[in-house]
Amino acid sequence: TMLAGRIRHGGSLLAPFAVAYVVAGEGDLPPEARLRLDAQLDLLPGARAGGLVLYRNTRALPLAGILPAAPPDGDVRAVDALAPARVPRLGMAPFRRVEPNTWTGAPDLEETGTAFVSKEYEPAWVLRAEDGRQYEPFRAFGWAIGVEAPPRSGRLTLDRREGWVRTAEVAGLLVVWVGALWILRRRG
């Protein structure tokens, strides 16, 4: 879409995926593609050194973080491509990754905020407040994980609940591997 010239906010398209930079080799971009990248309003051309062309995405979201106030109604829950362009960046706080599926942070929220993770939506994710309360996820930007974060809640932890779903996934994968090994052994 961006290189086809149908949109001028390519950084917003890449924002929910936590893409902060677009990098290409100097000779890898056809002239028309370079012109379209240069025309993007939220991709700033940067250094051109060492044979690389670098564009910084001004709309990039962190991999996980929190928006300090609920954005205008529907923006995080919106599924249109430009929804990230309407999300305010002021006061956005990134979360720190503690484990592969666990993120944590201690935002100072005065009102309800929105926590998010740039991963494909799964209902197994949960936001846990310091006082033990838990909050269920919703689809953010049409595909990512979002959770309403309560005000004055102290440290927040956003993680994937391990339960029967994860156990079933691992068991199914194990059955597939055992079956594949058994078939290969019989052919040998």
Side-chain angles (χ1 to χ4, degrees), residues 32-119:
E32 190 173 314
R34 179 184 235 158
L35 286 173
R36 289 193 176 141
L37 281 173
D38 287 341
Q40 297 301 309
L41 300 173
D42 46 12
L43 288 177
L44 300 179
R48 292 177 193 226
L52 295 176
V53 179
L54 179 76
Y55 293 88
R56 185 174 62 86
N57 184 358
T58 61
R59 304 303 302 176
L61 298 173
L63 285 173
I66 194 155
L67 303 168
D73 190 39
D75 284 345
V76 172
R77 292 177 189 257
V79 294
D80 67 289
L82 294 179
R86 295 187 300 269
V87 173
R89 299 294 191 270
L90 288 175
M92 184 183 302
F95 275 7
R96 184 175 57 83
R97 179 182 246 159
V98 220
E99 292 178 16
N101 287 319
T102 303
W103 300 82
T104 187
D108 186 24
L109 296 173
E110 293 298 319
E111 55 186 289
T112 300
T114 304
F116 64 90
V117 177
S118 294
K119 284 188 164 216

Side-chain angles (χ1 to χ4, degrees), residues 4 10 16 19 28 31 40 43-44 54 57 81-82 84 92 128 132-133 161 166 169 177:
V19 174
D28 292 343
Q40 297 301 309
L43 288 177
L44 300 179
L54 179 76
N57 184 358
L82 294 179
M92 184 183 302
R128 301 175 206 281
R133 291 181 292 165
R161 289 180 280 224
R166 180 67 176 160
E169 287 173 351
W177 272 103

Side-chain angles (χ1 to χ4, degrees), residues 164-186:
W164 71 270
V165 173
R166 180 67 176 160
T167 304
E169 287 173 351
V170 172
L173 187 59
L174 181 62
V175 167
V176 169
W177 272 103
V178 168
L181 291 173
W182 182 75
I183 290 170
L184 289 173
R185 187 181 68 82
R186 289 198 51 157

